[in-house]
Amino acid sequence: MIDALIERELERFRTGHPRSAELHERARGSLFGGVPMPWMMLWAGGYPVAVAEASGSRIVDVDGHEYIDLCLGDTGAMAGHAPPPVLEALQAKTGITTMLPTEDAAWVGEELTRRFGLERWLFTLTATDANRTALRIARLLTGRPKVLVYSYCYHGSVDEAFAVDAGGRTVSRAGNVGPPVDVAQTTRAIEFNDLDALEAALAHEDVACVLAEPAMTNMGIVLPEAPYHDALRALTRAHGTLLIIDETHTFSAGPGGCTQAWGLEPDLLTIGKAIGGGVPTGALGLSWKVAQGMLDAAEADYEDTGGVGGTLAGNALSLAAMRATLGSVLTDGAWEHTIPLAERFAAGVREAMGDRPWNVTRLGCRAEYRFEPSPARNGTQAHAASDPKLERFLHLHALNRGVLLTPFHNMALMAPTTTAADVDRHTEVFAEAVAELR
């Protein structure tokens, strides 16, 4: 049955998107997979729609179809597409890149300290870059080789993070591309929410840092169980291990992410995507103690050969975009609009599910449904509950009816420009798809 439904929706998609098909076929002559980045091949129609216009929470494709965008660049466009303050910042009145600071840099640093609490900041172009730098700093300050991560986590293209637990052994995650060394040499992977595993992993006294999202987001939203974060902080301190909190996706929880909302106390904090309003940006926050330790490490060359930053890191355009986004778009008040919309989304999905053994989980202005009776406790459980055919049908069904969801999973994100009518349209479309599955 599901195969027949998918084939019906594929035919509808192909018939309605001839211009996107033409552009994709042309791109196949020069682009790998016919797309700018391989993950764009994951769109449910077999090829992505090509964008003609994007603004607010709307995208219009080259075939003239308009979409309610609940994907929002998988968080990169959390501020909405082309927000006017960011467009103004793109006028580049202070240049694009100069290798010199602007007033915007200090403003953004002060604002990030206000929101997240860490005293010192440096800037990158992506959260991946921030995570890589954070790991180098952690190894420098602790003199230890290992990084602890959670099975099926995601921290960008950081080699050390493509690791999963396999019955007490750390192995490379399936599908990993060209790892430089056996991941067990650099990483210890455990399951999220397992305090016994955490304590045992740290007891080796060789872990430089724990790299963690405060709630996992790559395999659906996996929330921490109380008192996991209290214990995580206590155990890392007891074992001399630094704690890195990656807020790139969990910024959805509020103006200061989960760090502010839950009172977390990381040693380092990484973030990217959303804080630049769509312009490539990333930031790394440092506690006072970490910053001082870096300054005291006289042998470390942060300015040249130490592997920290790059020529375009901290460029004037990115900083101007961050100031515009944080100062005028994703302000503290933005979540007063977006969180209730995510609550509305979750309630609508739950009602449409009826008696199906599925669940929907919310983190601030982000929500996601999964195909298991209760929310997963860890990444491995969430991964096992994936249903690629069902996901493809639901995504393609929504796409053909003018609603975009994140192609890798079932995430919906609310922007300041999202409306209750947008959410209700998704609920209507989702309910139609579920009814067909019955």
Side-chain angles (χ1 to χ4, degrees):
M1 173 184 169
I2 191 76
D3 290 329
L5 289 173
I6 291 171
E7 188 54 43
R8 183 199 71 192
E9 293 298 325
L10 280 172
E11 180 60 29
R12 177 170 172 167
F13 178 80
R14 297 181 191 117
T15 300
H17 299 83
R19 180 63 179 142
S20 286
E22 290 173 9
L23 290 176
H24 180 67
E25 189 59 32
R26 173 185 171 188
R28 285 166 57 86
S30 59
L31 304 181
F32 178 78
V35 289
M37 277 297 292
W39 40 256
M40 292 186 189
M41 290 189 281
L42 290 175
W43 286 96
Y47 55 88
V49 300
V51 176
E53 302 174 28
S55 63
S57 294
R58 292 291 187 277
I59 283 177
V60 178
D61 70 19
V62 293
D63 290 292
H65 304 291
E66 181 174 294
Y67 304 91
I68 296 166
D69 189 5
L70 298 176
C71 168
L72 294 173
D74 196 29
T75 305
M78 184 174 162
H81 297 293
V86 176
L87 291 182
E88 174 64 22
L90 296 184
Q91 300 302 309
K93 296 172 184 176
T94 55
I96 295 173
T97 186
T98 60
M99 294 192 78
L100 293 167
T102 62
E103 181 184 344
D104 293 334
W107 188 97
V108 173
E110 292 161 359
E111 178 66 5
L112 291 174
T113 293
R114 182 188 73 81
R115 292 184 183 221
F116 295 99
L118 289 95
E119 291 89 351
R120 294 292 181 268
W121 293 84
L122 57 84
F123 300 107
T124 63
L125 285 177
T126 66
T128 292
D129 294 338
N131 281 325
R132 288 191 182 121
T133 298
L135 298 188
R136 297 173 77 92
I137 291 169
R139 289 192 289 258
L140 167 73
L141 297 184
T142 64
R144 297 176 176 182
K146 295 270 190 178
V147 175
L148 189 148
V149 301
Y150 296 104
S151 292
Y152 294 100
C153 66
Y154 185 70
H155 299 283
S157 55
V158 174
D159 288 319
E160 293 89 338
F162 289 99
V164 295
D165 173 66
R169 296 182 303 113
T170 296
V171 300
S172 182
R173 183 170 164 179
N176 193 7
V177 177
V181 296
D182 179 355
V183 73
Q185 295 183 32
T186 62
T187 306
R188 191 166 286 126
I190 64 171
E191 297 293 354
F192 194 59
N193 279 322
D194 188 337
L195 285 175
D196 290 339
L198 174 63
E199 187 161 16
L202 296 179
H204 293 273
E205 303 288 332
D206 61 352
V207 176
C209 61
V210 175
L211 175 59
E213 288 187 292
M216 296 187 73
T217 63
N218 188 52
M219 287 292 167
I221 299 169
V222 181
L223 297 174
E225 298 171 351
Y228 193 81
H229 272 294
D230 290 341
L232 172 62
R233 183 65 281 193
L235 286 168
T236 50
R237 284 175 172 153
H239 289 284
T241 299
L242 296 175
L243 176 59
I244 305 170
I245 291 293
D246 183 344
E247 289 272 18
T248 305
H249 285 277
T250 55
F251 190 33
S252 63
C258 293
T259 297
Q260 182 188 88
W262 299 346
L264 307 183
E265 298 178 357
D267 299 298
L268 302 96
L269 184 145
T270 58
I271 193 167
K273 292 186 182 180
I275 62 173
V279 174
T281 53
L284 171 58
L286 314 167
S287 70
W288 176 262
K289 184 177 180 181
V290 167
Q292 192 58 50
M294 291 172 64
L295 293 173
D296 290 343
E299 74 280 11
D301 183 353
Y302 306 113
E303 298 85 0
D304 189 11
T305 60
V308 174
T311 307
L312 296 179
N315 68 78
L317 185 65
S318 291
L319 268 298
M322 280 189 261
R323 181 171 185 173
T325 302
L326 296 174
S328 301
V329 187
L330 294 179
T331 59
D332 289 6
W335 279 261
E336 296 174 9
H337 171 74
T338 58
I339 288 177
L341 288 176
E343 293 171 342
R344 186 185 187 102
F345 177 94
V349 166
R350 286 192 187 99
E351 183 176 355
M353 285 177 179
D355 58 0
R356 284 192 170 271
W358 300 346
N359 73 86
V360 59
T361 305
R362 183 183 61 82
L363 181 65
C365 62
R366 175 187 181 114
E368 185 153 358
Y369 48 85
R370 302 287 292 174
F371 311 118
E372 53 190 334
S374 301
R377 295 187 65 246
N378 57 56
T380 297
Q381 182 185 346
H383 179 259
S386 296
D387 188 330
K389 282 189 177 181
L390 179 55
E391 290 177 10
R392 187 179 192 189
F393 168 65
L394 291 172
H395 284 228
L396 190 53
H397 183 278
L399 179 67
N400 279 334
R401 289 153 185 81
V403 179
L404 292 180
L405 295 167
T406 311
F408 331 116
H409 37 103
N410 308 308
M411 189 273 286
L413 182 65
M414 310 299 143
T417 49
T418 306
T419 67
D422 295 339
V423 171
D424 292 345
R425 175 57 181 159
H426 170 270
T427 300
E428 178 185 2
V429 167
F430 182 78
E432 290 174 2
V434 172
E436 291 211 52
L437 289 169
R438 293 188 188 281

